[in-house]
Amino acid sequence: MSHDQYPGQGGQGSQGQQPPQYAQAQQYGQPTHVTVGFQPAPPRGLSITSMVLGLVSIVLGFTFLVPLVGFVLGIVGLRKEPAGRGMAVTGLILNGLFVVGWALFLIVVIGIGAAGIATSGTSGS
């Protein structure tokens, strides 16, 4: 049996050889970016209802109740449902226009009624 057959085993054949090299640990490069698939909650009922009532107010704006309820739901939806922000804002704008329109209409009607009462009281002698 020759000593050259097993060079790493000591004896005369291992005098000029280096010990076996182990693989070096790999250096870590740039950390990989891990994205967790998180989606915000979908828009819920308050924001959708506010927008739908705002659109319905265009047709049924003569009812003061529809735009008023839509406006209130838009405010609540804006605060509680961040995912439905766009629909809540749309509902707020549409319903707000009709609520302001109703307020101006009531001011004008009350103003005309007050002017009519004031003039009828002075002309009745």
Side-chain angles (χ1 to χ4, degrees), residues 29-119:
Q30 293 290 343
T32 57
H33 181 68
V34 177
T35 304
V36 178
F38 174 77
Q39 295 178 342
R44 289 191 237 152
L46 297 174
S47 300
I48 294 171
T49 305
S50 174
M51 185 182 73
V52 168
L53 288 178
L55 293 172
V56 168
S57 293
I58 294 172
V59 178
L60 299 176
F62 60 88
T63 63
F64 180 67
L65 186 61
V66 172
L68 186 62
V69 169
F71 189 77
V72 170
L73 289 176
I75 292 172
V76 174
L78 193 62
R79 292 181 184 205
K80 289 189 175 184
E81 300 171 356
R85 183 175 175 82
M87 287 188 263
V89 169
T90 303
L92 277 173
I93 291 171
L94 291 174
N95 290 309
L97 288 173
F98 284 100
V99 168
V100 168
W102 265 105
L104 290 175
F105 176 74
L106 290 175
I107 289 171
V108 168
V109 168
I110 291 172
I112 290 174
I117 291 173
T119 57

